[in-house]
Amino acid sequence: MSIRWVMVLTENDAIVDARDLGGLVELSVTAERHGVDAVMLSDHIALGPSAGANGVMANLRDYAAPGNQDPATAWPSSLVLMSAIAQATTTLRLVAGAIIFPLRHPLLLAKDLGTLDLLAQGRLVVLPTVSWHKDEYAALGVPFHRRGAILDEQLDIVARAWQGGPVRHEGEFYRFDDVWLEPGPFRPGGPPLWFGGQGMHPPLVRRLVRYGSGLNPFGTLTADDLAGLERAMAEAGRAMSELELVGGIRGRFDGPDAVADLDEALAALPRQVEQGYTSICFKPAMFCRTVDEVPELIARLHAAGAALSA
């Protein structure tokens, strides 16, 4: 088994200026040229004061997480940026992970994601999420406490819309008569869906079983978590082998401008491989001071993966 490496493309302000979106496209081209399987972009539309309620991260190279961000943190539109990346690359998978579904109308989601998937010729992967930021929901007039129910209704609508028109719907949050959304995604059924979150809670299991092609948790999962998911998949007539398990490595920082030690971060890799993870995320800014160092970083990642596969 060879590890597929997934470069986290957003949150790299330490090595690519936040306004240099062309630089992120170039970083994607570099990733493809050096054998990276995918780039992943995350999503926020707007941040409010509570984005940093838990204290802003001490080192900009660390991962953004609930409550640790400056409200002025740059989050470019991932769908717009992935459109540029799709045109600049040919084999690189584009992971929209995560897209905050409840902040958008499901027909708009089906249209935009389907169009992007067609542009990328089937290279798009989508991770629908509800996210965590109440201020963002309030700014867009969406009830935060109903976000899970909204997502479930949206997933049903998008799945049917990607099968081709006409599609109609009468639900709690959305109602519309026959509509067609053409030209539609690259393949009938649309791009594969990954799901993630903190822990293996029942709604996550339910969505994985019904719609999932991949699992990308935020943090580690226990053997019991994975065993419970396997049972739920089996009860639905599905196998765990149908899910791409997506893990990651994370650096530790000794100071506010420190770069993490890659070998220390890679110590988490063997356990994930043993659990069945085949795709591993990494964020280059954690381990590099400049974009010029990224090719060497990728080479070291490939070497570490090859050593485990030998």
Side-chain angles (χ1 to χ4, degrees), residues 220-224 226 240 245 269-278:
T220 58
L221 294 178
T222 67
D224 287 343
L226 292 171
M240 281 292 286
L245 300 188
L269 195 57
R271 179 176 181 271
Q272 293 180 65
V273 171
E274 288 175 5
Q275 287 184 311
Y277 288 82
T278 57

Side-chain angles (χ1 to χ4, degrees), residues 93-305:
R93 286 196 296 172
L94 312 177
V95 182
I99 298 295
I100 308 173
F101 264 47
L103 301 182
R104 301 163 171 92
H105 194 285
L107 293 180
L108 180 62
L109 285 163
K111 168 66 77 172
D112 286 351
L113 292 169
T115 299
L116 177 56
D117 186 53
L118 181 58
L119 180 67
Q121 296 289 281
R123 291 183 285 135
L124 179 64
V125 177
V126 178
L127 197 162
T129 186
V130 296
S131 197
W132 53 272
H133 191 33
K134 290 184 180 180
D135 292 352
E136 191 169 21
Y137 275 80
L140 291 159
V142 179
F144 182 78
H145 69 288
R146 300 305 313 280
R147 66 196 192 281
I150 294 172
L151 173 60
D152 287 331
E153 191 169 325
Q154 290 177 314
L155 289 170
D156 172 63
I157 294 169
V158 169
R160 289 187 289 117
W162 281 343
Q163 292 292 342
V167 58
R168 66 171 59 191
H169 183 79
E170 177 100 15
E172 180 181 356
F173 303 102
Y174 306 100
R175 295 175 180 83
F176 50 86
D177 291 326
D178 285 349
V179 293
W180 286 255
L181 285 83
E182 296 299 337
F186 183 68
R187 297 183 184 88
L193 300 183
W194 291 356
F195 292 91
Q198 294 179 316
M200 190 57 68
H201 51 83
L204 172 58
V205 173
R206 185 180 68 249
R207 292 165 190 146
L208 277 164
V209 168
R210 183 171 179 184
Y211 301 105
S213 295
L215 168 62
N216 180 207
F218 188 80
T220 58
L221 294 178
T222 67
D224 287 343
D225 289 330
L226 292 171
L229 175 59
E230 185 172 13
R231 285 192 299 272
M233 292 284 285
E235 289 169 2
R238 300 189 63 191
M240 281 292 286
S241 59
E242 298 177 46
L243 296 179
E244 181 176 352
L245 300 188
V246 186
I249 58 171
R250 182 170 186 167
R252 182 183 61 82
F253 304 98
D254 292 328
D257 191 41
V259 174
D261 181 81
L262 179 61
D263 290 333
E264 181 180 345
L266 286 170
L269 195 57
R271 179 176 181 271
Q272 293 180 65
V273 171
E274 288 175 5
Q275 287 184 311
Y277 288 82
T278 57
S279 297
I280 302 294
C281 300
F282 70 99
K283 178 179 168 181
M286 285 188 168
F287 309 104
C288 299
R289 289 203 174 275
T290 71
V291 292
D292 293 338
E293 298 174 6
V294 172
E296 181 182 353
L297 168 65
I298 296 171
R300 292 180 64 188
L301 293 174
H302 283 315

Side-chain angles (χ1 to χ4, degrees), residues 13-72:
D13 296 1
I15 59 174
V16 179
D17 187 271
R19 296 186 62 82
D20 183 12
L21 301 188
L24 293 178
V25 175
E26 291 173 7
L27 189 55
S28 300
V29 172
T30 297
E32 180 178 74
R33 184 181 301 126
H34 291 275
V36 170
D37 175 72
V39 291
M40 176 183 286
L41 294 89
S42 197
D43 179 47
H44 279 295
I45 295 175
L47 293 182
S50 69
N54 298 332
V56 176
M57 65 181 83
N59 189 313
L60 182 61
R61 300 175 186 278
D62 206 349
Y63 275 124
N68 76 348
Q69 304 163 53
D70 185 328

